[in-house]
Structures are given as C-alpha cells and as structure tokens.
Amino acid sequence: MEELGIGVFMHKYGFLENLLFPPVYLDRKKLENTLAGKTILITGASFGIGEELAYSLADMNVHLILVARTGEKLISIKKEIERKTAKVSAFPADIRNNDEIDELL
C-alpha cells in the first residue's frame, strides 16, 4: 500500500482491477474553489471516513459542522482543525435519537 496523506493509504491494484475500476484522482484546487465559503455537515466525524474527511477539508475556506456521538474525541478534532483555515463547529449527538437531532437543528 502507498501512503497518500494523513493516515490515507492507496492499495496498489493489478492490471485487471485498474482496467475494471480505473483510479479516480481528486483535483484539490477545483474542490477548494467549489467548496469555498460553503458549510459542510459531517456526521460520524470522530472516527473513520468522517474524521478523515474533516481533516482533509481543514485547509479549505469552509465551515465544518462536525457531528458524532463521542464528544471528547470530537472536541479534540475540533481543536486540531481550528489551527488550520476552516471554521469549525462541533455537536456531540446521536443522529439515531430524534431529540438530539432536534437539538442539533
């Protein structure tokens, strides 16, 4: 596996896999221009894909709204991202709970 960035690894596929599933490359500059000034809600932001997405967008001019059940880790991630460009709001909530969704909204 080849490391791409903050904890992101890319599996090296064989010829047939690349033929059937060609690699997709992210145009980071185009993404930054498209997202500039936008608000992005990320659920599950304290682990896995949600956490990686939050860190990936941290250097962009966006407002990240991070939502996750684990409040302590969420606050830790918020503090790290605040050192970057993005504005960050964090809300500990379980989106399976209607009362917590209402409070989030």
Side-chain angles (χ1 to χ4, degrees):
M1 288 195 191
E2 177 182 345
E3 185 169 357
L4 294 178
I6 304 173
V8 177
F9 290 89
M10 182 175 155
H11 178 76
K12 292 191 178 194
Y13 293 105
F15 175 75
L16 183 58
E17 292 166 316
N18 279 324
L19 185 62
L20 294 172
F21 307 103
V24 177
Y25 298 99
L26 180 66
D27 183 342
R28 187 155 179 87
K29 198 67 179 163
K30 184 176 180 181
L31 181 64
E32 284 181 36
N33 290 335
T34 301
L35 296 179
K38 304 265 170 115
T39 299
I40 301 163
L41 174 70
I42 302 174
T43 59
S46 60
F47 291 99
I49 294 170
E51 179 181 8
E52 289 299 320
L53 178 59
Y55 284 126
S56 294
L57 300 176
D59 288 322
M60 296 184 188
N61 180 25
V62 295
H63 176 201
L64 299 175
I65 299 175
L66 308 180
V67 180
R69 291 178 294 182
T70 47
E72 288 178 20
K73 178 115 189 252
L74 191 62
I75 299 306
S76 171
I77 292 168
K78 178 183 185 287
K79 287 179 182 177
E80 285 184 53
I81 292 176
E82 284 178 326
R83 294 184 211 143
K84 308 276 184 165
T85 305
K87 179 182 172 196
V88 187
S89 300
F91 297 94
D94 184 344
I95 61 172
R96 298 173 296 180
N97 182 315
N98 288 334
D99 292 335
E100 292 185 26
I101 290 175
D102 290 340
E103 189 175 323
L104 171 63
L105 296 175

